[in-house]
Amino acid sequence: IQTHYYQPIWTLVGAGAKTSASSARHTASVMPAGVKWVKSKVQEINPENNTIRTDDGKEISYEYLIIALGLQLHFEKIKGLPEGFEHPKIGSNYSIQTVEKTWKALKDFKAGNAVFTFPNTPVKCAGAPQKIMYLSDAYLRKTGKRNEARVIYNTSLPVLFGIKKYADSLWDIVKQRDLQINLRQNLIEVRADKQEAVFENLDKPGETTVFEYEMLHVTPPMGPNLIVKSSPLGDEAGWLDLDKDYLQHKKYPNVFGIGDCTNLPTAKTGAAVAAQSAVLSRTISMILKNQKPDKIYDGYTSCPLVTSYKSVILAEFDYNGQPLETFPINQAKESRIMYHMKADVMPHLYWHGLLRGLWGGPGPYRKLMHLGMK
């Protein structure tokens, strides 16, 4: 892949606050020093023989393997997609091909339902499906269209957000802004030519509801990387099967993993990857010295919940769902400073820190504290 994308910024691209070009860099420009870049896709991993086969037929052997293949988007599991994106008024912030369609649908909004979805699968950045709802609400207010709009969030989950401290604050925002939340509603079909979205009630299988829309934002079903799933490395569901403390494979001790492709029981976010990278770096350095790993990953993850064009609720928590906050403030309250960090500071640290191997902290926001950015 010749272009690398900073995907967290796509939330803001879909709301017109950033450009898609700002999310992209030439892959060669962000490749760390000393790394040999093999410009081929992985076709197969054979951990029994310690080899990888690429799609051009090459076989690469390894002594140690770190897998960071991410997860798979499955728009096709929704009837009517992905071909439905050829129609207007529908977009998704989860793909570079569809994120600008979100912004166009929002700009062109006149009157009716603005519908936002959350699928019945694990997802990367579980806050993103509702972030675009808050931003769209703010845009419609700014442009004088909010009175003509019904803003609807249909989520497969039984809760608005998984961590109660932040969920309570989000429910307050929902009530203040007159946003409609429908729990346990899963998108199963899009009739883009009719501007209709069909949802199944997960608590009453077989019961469906059709929503007409003037704007539809789709968060696609997601699943494990197919290369991992088809190898002995996956668990029963196909996710990379790791020890959650040391990020080492449970069966193959010379295999490690990081990020969205893993079965680590924490939210799949870039902040989690930053924290995991520090642990993994330490773990591998100890193993190379024939020493026992001494650093444990506590499940730290973070979700900057963008609630408007100038505010963020910064959720940070661990494996147990307990807040693990960086700053000496109540992070469940909306903050303008946190918005600036999300929109401007974190992309800079991603491009010039994490990707270049210069990131040594436990998590991005805690690292900022170490840098003196309080």
Side-chain angles (χ1 to χ4, degrees), residues 71 94 118 121-129 131 157 161-163 166 222 239 244 247 258-276 297-305 315-322 364:
L71 50 64
Y94 275 88
F118 188 109
T121 66
V123 301
K124 54 182 173 180
C125 193
K131 296 177 195 179
L157 299 176
F161 192 73
I163 311 302
Y166 308 114
M222 302 179 203
W239 303 98
K244 71 183 185 69
L247 313 180
I258 195 169
D260 296 351
C261 66
T262 71
N263 66 355
L264 299 172
T266 193
K268 299 179 184 297
T269 70
V273 174
Q276 292 161 20
Y297 174 53
D298 57 9
Y300 171 85
T301 190
S302 169
C303 183
L305 292 151
E316 294 181 287
F317 48 97
D318 62 14
Y319 275 138
N320 299 316
Q322 295 301 308

Side-chain angles (χ1 to χ4, degrees), residues 11 48 89 132 202 206 244 285 314 331 334 336 342:
T11 288
E48 297 292 345
K89 304 184 184 298
I132 186 59
L202 295 176
K244 71 183 185 69
S285 67
L314 180 59
Q331 290 182 196
E334 292 178 284
R336 181 184 285 267
K342 157 73 178 176

Side-chain angles (χ1 to χ4, degrees), residues 235-267:
D235 63 11
E236 289 184 359
W239 303 98
L240 187 64
D241 197 14
L242 299 185
D243 175 278
K244 71 183 185 69
D245 294 330
Y246 299 109
L247 313 180
Q248 189 171 23
H249 196 271
K250 291 179 181 177
K251 182 178 179 182
Y252 300 97
N254 65 333
V255 175
F256 304 83
I258 195 169
D260 296 351
C261 66
T262 71
N263 66 355
L264 299 172
T266 193

Side-chain angles (χ1 to χ4, degrees), residues 10-15 75 78 81 85 88-95 98-103 105-106 113-119 125 127-133 136 152-154 187 190 197 199 213-220 222:
W10 288 348
T11 288
L12 300 179
V13 173
F75 284 108
I78 300 169
L81 295 182
F85 288 112
K89 304 184 184 298
I90 173 174
S92 176
N93 292 349
Y94 275 88
S95 161
T98 57
V99 62
E100 289 186 353
K101 294 179 184 294
T102 303
W103 173 226
L106 181 55
N113 292 337
V115 181
F116 305 85
T117 77
F118 188 109
C125 193
Q130 62 181 289
K131 296 177 195 179
I132 186 59
M133 170 185 65
S136 297
I152 302 167
Y153 182 59
N154 285 353
L187 180 65
V190 175
F199 292 83
Y213 65 82
E214 170 70 4
M215 172 187 179
L216 176 65
H217 178 268
V218 177
T219 301
M222 302 179 203

Side-chain angles (χ1 to χ4, degrees), residues 173-247:
I173 291 170
V174 162
K175 292 171 185 173
Q176 291 165 10
R177 301 182 191 171
D178 192 25
L179 308 175
Q180 181 179 321
I181 310 298
N182 298 317
L183 305 176
R184 303 293 286 158
Q185 295 292 317
N186 183 43
L187 180 65
I188 59 172
E189 182 180 359
V190 175
R191 302 166 184 164
D193 56 334
K194 299 178 181 178
Q195 292 174 221
E196 293 178 346
V198 183
F199 292 83
E200 179 182 19
N201 184 341
L202 295 176
D203 289 333
K204 297 179 180 178
E207 179 182 296
T208 60
T209 306
V210 178
F211 287 76
E212 294 181 352
Y213 65 82
E214 170 70 4
M215 172 187 179
L216 176 65
H217 178 268
V218 177
T219 301
M222 302 179 203
N225 183 278
L226 300 181
I227 303 301
V228 173
K229 188 175 182 179
S230 63
S231 78
L233 296 166
D235 63 11
E236 289 184 359
W239 303 98
L240 187 64
D241 197 14
L242 299 185
D243 175 278
K244 71 183 185 69
D245 294 330
Y246 299 109
L247 313 180

